[in-house]
Amino acid sequence: MKISIFGLGYVGAVSVGCLAARGHQIVGVDVNPTKTAFIARGESPVIEAKIGDLIAKAVREGRLTGTTDGPAAVAVTDLAFVCVGTPSQQNGNLDLTYVRAVCEEIGSALKARKDFFVVVMRSTVLPGTTRDVVIPLLERASGKKAGVDFGVCFNPEFLREGTAVDDFFNPPKTVIGATDERSRKTLAGLYDGIDAPMIHTDIEIAEMVKYADNAWHALKVGFGNEMGAIAKALGIDGHKVMDIFCQDTKLNISPKYLKPGFSFGGSCLPKDLRALNYRARRLDLELPILTSVIPSNERHTSSGLRMIAEQGHRRIGVLGLSFKAGTDDLRESPMVNVVENLIGKGYDVRIFDRNVKLAGLMGSNKSYLLNHIPHIYNLVVDSIDAVMDHAETVVIGNNDPSHDEVFEKVKNGQVIVDFARIGNRTSDGGQYHGICW
């Protein structure tokens, strides 16, 4: 395929070499003539393992050229990758100067195109940028309609400096968001033969995935460093601790606990975090990540309470009081906190949890509940139907399978606030509200 790649920085330079190595005809475009001169000489404009050899071979075999003339590149190619920089502004927002300039250049060049052309955003941009900035600029400059006369895709890159070539050919995943099926298929075809999950999704989700990845990687680095700091202060080898930690691929290095939902609770997580932070303070250590976890959790609980209050109802039904389904453990359950706050603000609450039998509670579990909700016996009912008969707003507190019955029983005027995403539903802005979806 004939491909133009706008921006010969780190991502663009790796892309021109790797795509040319896959047999495509590539035109590298950059406003900086020094970078295109590197390409003309068969040299890489960036320092990165293996890419120099790929570029040299591609130029030697006539599959890669460089130019500062963007419109000329669009004229001789069928698809353009946008790989320009999106640097930070002082306030943390992205500077889209280069993105805007390239989109206007490509859009103007599309005026003369009679056939379908695909523009692929590869630059990292905040969710909504492709839809709200890129597409309008292309449409305005070209006088054409996205998804009809030309296509737009968002295709995030997952390249690590130092291993970018290997990452290109062996990515963890390939993610494509597109305005239309024709563009989606065209772009997906470039990755034929690459052994990685191919994920087709909405443009905004594709944009957000890159930020989820990078935020998680940053958090992992910070977490590892903080665990190492407290381990060293205690005379423990932090690497040995984390070597064992990383062997757990069932819970630690896994999808567990990473899906958006409600706050954590139970007898372990809050208690152990508090103990670890207490010891860190005694050792005069500042651990900003670990000390922020519980406040973040509490803010999430507060967000849930606000969501309930925003429905404007006084009669509230709660399904699921324990901190997770399949247990009667109420210790530090965020739903106990929710109910306590609702009662304190004068709401009329009814509760059902098929795993919580008040007569069977004992010890610290019973003490915790009665300390927070002394009149709990007056609030608990014996069925989902009883909750539904009482409530104007129904709150789903955990993902017990029986809670799916709610959607068959809900009446006109009733609202569901879901903290557990029962049935993989999406907020509709009316009768159903999910806390993170």
Side-chain angles (χ1 to χ4, degrees), residues 292-314:
S292 295
V293 175
I294 287 179
S296 173
N297 198 54
E298 290 170 347
R299 288 191 179 188
H300 200 57
T301 303
S302 297
S303 295
L305 280 163
R306 282 196 303 274
M307 183 175 287
I308 296 168
E310 286 168 357
Q311 307 315 312
H313 297 147
R314 303 307 297 176

Side-chain angles (χ1 to χ4, degrees), residues 29-337:
V29 186
D30 202 289
V31 295
N32 187 341
T34 301
K35 292 184 179 181
T36 57
F38 269 98
I39 297 296
R41 295 194 301 269
E43 300 175 6
S44 173
V46 301
I47 301 300
E48 175 63 36
K50 300 182 181 180
I51 195 60
D53 292 339
L54 293 182
I55 288 175
K57 186 173 187 286
V59 171
R60 190 167 57 249
E61 296 176 354
R63 283 179 284 105
L64 172 60
T65 59
T67 182
T68 58
D69 190 340
V74 172
V76 298
T77 56
D78 304 305
L79 179 147
F81 278 100
V82 177
C83 302
V84 297
T86 54
S88 289
Q89 297 176 332
Q90 284 190 339
N91 64 1
N93 194 19
L94 297 182
D95 183 346
L96 297 178
T97 300
Y98 305 125
V99 169
R100 292 177 184 275
V102 166
C103 287
E104 289 174 351
E105 187 173 40
I106 293 174
S108 296
L110 289 179
K111 285 181 180 180
R113 294 291 299 239
K114 303 299 182 184
D115 54 347
F116 195 81
F117 192 86
V118 181
V119 180
V120 181
M121 285 297 298
R122 194 82 158 148
S123 302
T124 300
V125 293
L126 288 165
T129 302
T130 303
R131 191 87 60 184
D132 299 337
V133 177
V134 171
I135 291 175
L137 283 171
L138 290 168
E139 289 182 333
R140 187 160 56 245
S142 67
K144 296 182 177 183
K145 184 69 176 175
V148 178
D149 304 306
F150 66 91
V152 178
C153 300
F154 189 84
N155 176 216
E157 49 83 15
F158 305 104
L159 307 177
R160 297 168 296 172
E161 294 188 36
T163 61
V165 172
D166 290 338
D167 290 341
F168 187 97
F169 292 117
N170 300 281
K173 55 188 175 287
T174 299
V175 180
I176 297 174
T179 55
D180 59 278
E181 195 59 28
R182 182 176 178 179
S183 300
R184 187 189 308 278
K185 288 181 178 178
T186 298
L187 178 57
L190 296 183
Y191 298 106
D192 284 346
I194 288 181
D195 185 17
M198 173 67 70
I199 302 165
H200 295 287
T201 187
D202 297 334
I203 287 175
E204 289 77 9
I205 291 175
E207 290 170 319
M208 186 65 183
V209 160
K210 181 60 184 290
Y211 283 95
D213 279 27
N214 283 353
W216 176 234
H217 299 328
L219 179 60
K220 287 190 291 185
V221 172
F223 176 78
N225 289 342
E226 290 196 1
M227 293 306 297
I230 194 169
K232 181 176 181 179
L234 293 169
I236 298 168
D237 187 330
H239 270 257
K240 291 182 178 179
V241 171
M242 297 309 290
D243 282 343
I244 297 171
F245 172 93
C246 291
Q247 289 183 46
D248 181 351
T249 56
K250 181 178 182 180
L251 300 178
N252 292 345
I253 313 300
S254 75
K256 294 293 185 182
Y257 309 120
L258 283 172
K259 292 291 184 70
F262 202 41
S263 311
F264 63 76
S267 60
C268 296
L269 271 57
K271 174 179 70 72
D272 292 348
L273 271 166
R274 283 194 293 266
L276 196 60
N277 282 315
Y278 170 79
R279 178 54 67 90
R281 290 194 301 271
R282 293 291 299 270
L283 294 168
D284 291 327
L285 293 175
E286 292 187 12
L287 305 178
I289 292 174
L290 290 174
T291 56
S292 295
V293 175
I294 287 179
S296 173
N297 198 54
E298 290 170 347
R299 288 191 179 188
H300 200 57
T301 303
S302 297
S303 295
L305 280 163
R306 282 196 303 274
M307 183 175 287
I308 296 168
E310 286 168 357
Q311 307 315 312
H313 297 147
R314 303 307 297 176
R315 297 198 309 277
I316 309 298
V318 173
L319 297 176
L321 190 61
S322 60
F323 81 99
K324 67 177 181 179
T327 180
D328 68 348
D329 194 347
L330 301 168
R331 289 170 293 178
E332 305 216 38
S333 168
M335 289 309 301
V336 171
N337 182 275

